[in-house]
Amino acid sequence: MAGQRSGSFGLDDFGVDDRLRLFSYVNADNRLAYLWLLRAFEAARTSYQVVLHTSDVHAALAGLSAAHAECPDPATLELARLLDALVDWGVLDRGQDGTRAATLAEYRNRHSVYQFTEAGYRAHRAVESVLAAGIEDSTLSRLVFADLLADLKALRDANESGDAEEVYRKLNRLDRALADVAERAARFYHMLGDLGRTHDIRPEVFLAHKDALLVHLRDFHDELQRYTPRLREAVHEVEATGLDRMIEAAAEADERLFATPAERISDWARRWQGLRSWLAPSTDVPSEAERLSGATMAAIGDVLALLRRVTEARRGGVSRESQLRHLAAWFTGAGSAEAAHALFEVVFGLGAPRHAGVAYPDPEAIASRLSWWEAPAVELSRSLVQSGRMPGQGNGRPARIDRSEAPRRVLRERQLADERRQTEAAAGLVEHQGLTGEKDSNLSNDQTAALRRLLDIALSARAAGRRDAPLAAAAFGVRLTLHPCPGRFSTVTTDAGRLHLDGYELTVTTAEHTTARRPAEAVTA
């Protein structure tokens, strides 16, 4: 790049272009043929056959075609053209093999052999890793925290003893381990995000693995919470043995030939600061381990929300995504534009607006010189706007409402009789002498019903008031009061049996006002 020094083996603009051209076969028209052709080279490379002739490429590709149905038949491909294109893009390197020539003419034809370039092989492996990436590759490593703690303790001992090579090995291992944790976490949480954005794709797979996913997140969070304070303490112990000496020892044992001592010291100081920001930051900002813990808890909530969404979608039988896919298939299969417009009209109901023309009741009251913008609006009926019919058209005049005066009068008289009966029964409670069991007289059924109604009103206020405060209720012209009496109970004898009130003594008196009140007001009355 323009900002890189000439001695750092960096790439200029032309070098970047050459590297990016390695991936040109991914967007080519016959990209699947290119992909399987490179897979044939990789299969031969695993058998320690690095350089391939065209006939060898044909044989390797035929073997893949026999094992994989999706691999194209090499007889249908122009191998020479495909190989030349890969050479032009820098993925393959072409050489000449004169030993294959049996005659002078064949030698002059220059038999070509091909092999991967180093950058081409890396590009192919990158494409294969992208194609093979899946949910199974995205996992969090909870066992790495014990290794980090052990390496930090070993680093402390090595720095105290002045073992530069051991300091370098432990620092390098810690750096790689933390990089692996960060990469795994990034892939895992990206996987969860993609899973939440795919709208119920393969819900049976998610439902089959949801328990393992939640257990994995919980175990990782528990291990992270357990080791975070111990790792922070171990970092402080390492720095207490001499941070500058440790950085210098690691830089001295570093075997990078083309880096100056100052560059190696700066690089290892940067790596240690990154490790410290992960485990024990010096400021009040949260560490990356704490951020990872928060992200794990948020991921658990996201997984549970996704589970609820998948479950609700499956409960309905058909998910929203499935409905939209079927609708898209119907639009694609529409035979004409008119059919597509008719389908759109039926599905979304966004037809043309309904136009209605209605005259003013008194046309002469509106001056003819006024424009539509200035003239007052005309009132339209709802039936005209919704159905296009004027009121009274189509279905005839509305039917006369039957008031049913006689049944309503009977119901009203029955209601008044019930109220009089309840009032008389409540008044009888005030005059009754055996209300608390002191006499043998029993309450009638009507009096018992009135008493139960008053008890319901009073006891419903018990949760809102204090336990030691009396409870009261007023209705039907009487007031019932419940006085707390711990350890005692009152008994009311009725025709249906005995009613026991544990911890309360009740009294019924005449009330001046019986307006309905809330239970809380009844308690304070």
Side-chain angles (χ1 to χ4, degrees), residues 33 57 77 101 106 152 238 272 283 289 310 313 322 330 346 383 430 447 472:
V57 177
L77 301 177
E106 290 181 355
L152 284 172
V238 170
W272 177 256
T283 59
V310 171
S322 177
W330 290 349
V346 171
S383 60
V430 180
Q447 292 173 341

Side-chain angles (χ1 to χ4, degrees), residues 89-204:
W89 291 327
V91 182
L92 297 179
D93 182 46
R94 178 169 50 202
Q96 307 302 325
D97 184 10
T99 60
R100 292 177 177 267
T103 63
L104 182 60
E106 290 181 355
Y107 179 78
R108 291 175 178 174
N109 287 334
R110 297 186 304 176
H111 288 261
S112 298
V113 290
Y114 302 88
Q115 63 176 334
F116 269 118
T117 63
E118 181 60 27
Y121 181 71
R122 290 174 180 267
H124 171 64
R125 292 306 308 156
V127 172
E128 289 286 5
S129 64
V130 171
L131 294 177
I135 294 179
E136 294 80 5
D137 300 332
S138 303
T139 56
L140 296 170
S141 178
R142 64 183 180 86
L143 303 178
V144 72
F145 300 118
D147 296 336
L148 288 175
L149 183 61
D151 288 341
L152 284 172
K153 292 181 177 180
L155 178 62
R156 177 199 60 194
D157 297 339
N159 196 32
E160 283 180 345
S161 61
D163 190 347
E165 294 183 356
E166 185 67 14
V167 167
Y168 169 75
R169 281 193 293 267
K170 295 305 178 183
L171 267 181
N172 197 23
R173 181 171 173 176
L174 285 168
D175 182 66
R176 289 199 306 268
L178 276 181
D180 181 69
V181 169
E183 184 179 358
R184 282 173 175 266
R187 287 205 308 265
F188 186 79
Y189 295 125
H190 278 305
M191 180 270 293
L192 289 182
D194 292 341
L195 189 64
R197 290 189 294 268
T198 50
H199 301 291
D200 306 345
I201 185 168
R202 295 195 301 168
E204 63 279 358

Side-chain angles (χ1 to χ4, degrees), residues 457-458 460-461 470-474 479-481 517-525:
I457 297 174
S460 63
L471 306 177
R479 177 185 298 276
L480 181 141
T481 305
R517 293 178 292 180
R518 294 188 297 271
E521 296 176 353
V523 170
T524 58

Side-chain angles (χ1 to χ4, degrees), residues 149 152-153 156 174 228-241 243 246 272 275-281:
L149 183 61
L152 284 172
K153 292 181 177 180
R156 177 199 60 194
L174 285 168
T228 295
R230 301 169 66 182
L231 291 172
R232 183 185 299 110
E233 182 181 357
V235 169
H236 293 318
E237 291 177 357
V238 170
E239 291 185 343
T241 60
L243 179 59
M246 179 184 68
W272 177 256
L275 187 146
R276 203 181 195 285
S277 68
W278 255 92
L279 304 177

Side-chain angles (χ1 to χ4, degrees), residues 299-316:
I300 293 176
D302 294 341
V303 171
L304 293 176
L306 180 59
L307 173 62
R308 182 171 59 253
R309 193 182 72 188
V310 171
T311 305
E312 291 175 355
R314 289 173 66 88
R315 186 183 300 123

